[in-house]
Amino acid sequence: MNEQNLQTQLDKLAIMELPALYMRGLDRLDRDLLRTQFWDDAYMDYGIYAGDADGFCDFCMGALASHDRNQHMIGQNIVEVEGDTAFGEVYFQAYHRVKNEQGALRDIFICGRYADRYEKRDGIWKFSYRSEIVDWARDDPASDDFLAGSGNIWGERKPNDPIYNRAAMARPEND
């Protein structure tokens, strides 16, 4: 592998981490993490929001704050690097646990793709443009009551989510 091919692969790896950190920012309601994935002059167009990075992050935190939980999954991640600019298509599945007007829990799934432009500045890749394309969605009654009392560890928002407790990620000493 020549040096240019190696650099292209390293660039792709750096770019592919951006959507993963973006999703963690959304799921954990970690605005700071979400915001650091975008250049200050980035532009987002989601149809329901079009504007700059700060406004977008505020919009997301406001939209997700009332949800009981969220989980965003990344599928195919296609990246084409053209020097210090790259273009991507990232498939996603977004799960949202919400309450309807009557207070009943609902599971909303929104699935589609992101159309992205990334820019490398001073050796760092970030989003310079992001657009969400919805391919399908559904809204169903919540159906995980069977897990109540199961002892499962449930995801939380920042800072209570287990991912933020690195000290707990060790074998107990008396084990």
Side-chain angles (χ1 to χ4, degrees):
M1 179 177 286
N2 69 33
E3 198 169 313
Q4 180 58 45
N5 286 343
L6 179 59
Q7 185 58 54
T8 298
Q9 295 308 309
L10 292 172
D11 288 338
K12 285 185 176 188
L13 283 172
I15 290 167
M16 291 171 72
E17 190 169 67
L18 294 173
L21 293 170
Y22 169 96
M23 298 305 198
R24 179 186 281 177
L26 291 176
D27 291 341
R28 305 285 71 87
L29 285 185
D30 187 340
R31 187 194 187 281
D32 293 337
L33 177 61
L34 180 64
R35 178 60 181 88
T36 59
Q37 306 318 305
F38 296 98
W39 291 114
D40 288 342
D41 60 350
Y43 185 79
M44 274 56 69
D45 186 358
Y46 280 55
I48 58 174
Y49 175 87
D52 67 11
D54 285 313
F56 176 73
C57 292
D58 292 340
F59 170 80
C60 290
M61 295 300 107
L64 299 175
S66 65
H67 294 191
D68 283 6
R69 56 188 68 250
N70 304 97
Q71 186 181 59
H72 293 77
M73 300 291 291
I74 298 170
Q76 297 93 307
N77 193 341
I78 301 164
V79 177
E80 298 172 6
V81 177
E82 299 176 5
D84 288 343
T85 302
F87 299 89
E89 179 184 40
V90 180
Y91 281 67
F92 74 90
Q93 291 185 345
Y95 161 78
H96 306 284
R97 169 62 57 85
V98 300
K99 290 181 181 167
N100 66 13
E101 296 80 29
Q102 295 76 32
L105 291 174
R106 306 289 300 174
D107 290 334
I108 296 176
F109 294 90
I110 302 172
C111 300
R113 296 163 286 131
Y114 293 106
D116 297 324
R117 186 178 72 241
Y118 317 95
E119 291 180 11
K120 184 178 183 181
R121 302 178 190 174
D122 297 321
I124 298 170
W125 285 99
K126 292 188 180 188
F127 291 106
S128 58
Y129 173 85
R130 178 155 254 214
S131 179
E132 182 180 85
I133 303 161
V134 175
D135 289 323
W136 65 271
R138 60 184 300 157
D139 178 354
D140 297 314
S143 60
D144 58 3
D145 287 343
F146 68 94
L147 289 174
S150 67
N152 287 358
I153 299 170
W154 288 88
E156 306 260 350
R157 306 294 191 179
K158 183 182 179 184
N160 299 322
D161 189 80
I163 199 70
Y164 296 101
N165 185 358
R166 296 213 170 157
M169 294 182 195
R171 178 186 296 263
E173 288 186 23
N174 56 354
D175 197 22

